[in-house]
Amino acid sequence: MKTILIFCGAALTIYVLYRIYKYQTLDDGLDQLIKKGAVILDVRTEKEYEMGHIEGSVNISLGTIRERYVELDREKTYITVCSHGLRSVKAENILKERGFKHVHNGGAWTDLQGLIK
C-alpha cells in the first residue's frame, strides 16, 4: 500500500510540474499570431524536420541559430517550436538576446499543429 501511495504521489508531482512548466513557458494566443502572419521557426535538426513538420515553417536548428539568426527579419513575429518544448525556449531566449522583440515559445510542434488546425 505504501508503494502505491508513493507512486501516486510521484505521478501527481510530475503532472503538476508539467502543468506549471506548460503554463509558464507557452504563450497564449499563438493561433491568432499565426493568423496575423507569424513565422513558425522549427529549431529541431534537419533530420527531425524531414520526418515531419508544420507546413510553411522555417527550419533553423538550435545548434546553428547563433550563426543563422541573421537570416531572420527582426521586424517579423516568430513562434519557436521543437519536439518537446525545451529547445524552443532556448531558441526564444537566444533570439531575444540578439534583439528580436516578437518571439514566442510554441512548445512541441505537434501540439502547435493541433492548435492551428
Side-chain angles (χ1 to χ4, degrees), residues 23-71:
Y23 175 76
Q24 289 181 340
T25 60
L26 295 181
D27 294 321
D28 289 328
L30 296 176
D31 56 337
Q32 295 302 316
L33 290 173
I34 292 168
K35 288 178 184 175
K36 292 179 182 178
V39 176
I40 299 170
L41 181 61
D42 193 320
V43 298
R44 296 175 298 146
T45 65
E46 288 180 18
K47 287 184 180 183
E48 288 175 297
Y49 185 80
E50 289 170 5
M51 291 179 8
H53 58 270
I54 297 173
E55 188 175 333
S57 62
V58 174
N59 179 230
I60 298 179
S61 71
L62 180 63
T64 63
I65 201 154
R66 285 184 172 88
E67 295 84 31
R68 293 186 59 197
Y69 76 92
V70 295
E71 299 172 23

Side-chain angles (χ1 to χ4, degrees), residues 18 25 34 36 41 44 63 72-73 84-85 98 102 108:
Y18 169 75
T25 60
I34 292 168
K36 292 179 182 178
L41 181 61
R44 296 175 298 146
L72 304 174
D73 182 349
H84 299 293
R98 283 163 176 69
H102 311 288

